[in-house]
Amino acid sequence: MAVTLSDKAAKHVANYLTKRGKGIGLRLGVRTSGCSGMAYKLEFVDEVSPEDLVFESNGVKVFVDPKSMPYLEGMELDFAREGLNEGFKFNNPNVKDQCGCGESFNV
């Protein structure tokens, strides 16, 4: 299985990379944090690491480190606007529970 981006998320990332003037894609990962155990991390990629797993979704390259992959397998990253707020939404089938604030999760 792969990690994918919705059409809206891919457009948002592509637009940001264009405005930024550099970058080849988006890196997704997890880190230990928060009250539920893990939190997502996102960063723009300028260079590929040899261990990266690389997926392409809606024209955007997605990079995942091998340690994060078991937690992200099958996830879709979406981008949503709700009123005045906008941001990424993590549609992750592996999540068993998440904290009330939505910042961390466990599998």
Side-chain angles (χ1 to χ4, degrees), residues 47-69:
E47 289 185 23
V48 180
S49 296
E51 69 274 0
D52 281 337
L53 302 168
V54 183
F55 305 96
E56 187 156 335
S57 181
N58 288 314
V60 174
K61 288 187 179 179
V62 180
F63 299 83
V64 179
D65 68 90
K67 290 181 182 178
S68 295
M69 193 63 205

Side-chain angles (χ1 to χ4, degrees), residues 4-10 76-80 87-91:
T4 60
L5 301 178
S6 70
D7 187 51
K8 288 180 184 177
E76 179 193 52
L77 184 64
D78 193 10
F79 187 80
F88 288 109
K89 294 184 84 168
F90 301 88
N91 299 319

Side-chain angles (χ1 to χ4, degrees), residues 12-60:
H12 183 75
V13 170
N15 287 340
Y16 191 84
L17 287 170
T18 299
K19 287 179 189 174
R20 190 172 175 251
K22 63 179 181 173
I24 56 173
L26 181 70
R27 183 180 313 281
L28 293 172
V30 296
R31 60 182 167 80
T32 303
S33 178
C35 48
S36 290
M38 293 183 201
Y40 297 107
K41 59 182 182 177
L42 295 170
E43 61 187 16
F44 292 98
V45 177
D46 294 327
E47 289 185 23
V48 180
S49 296
E51 69 274 0
D52 281 337
L53 302 168
V54 183
F55 305 96
E56 187 156 335
S57 181
N58 288 314
V60 174

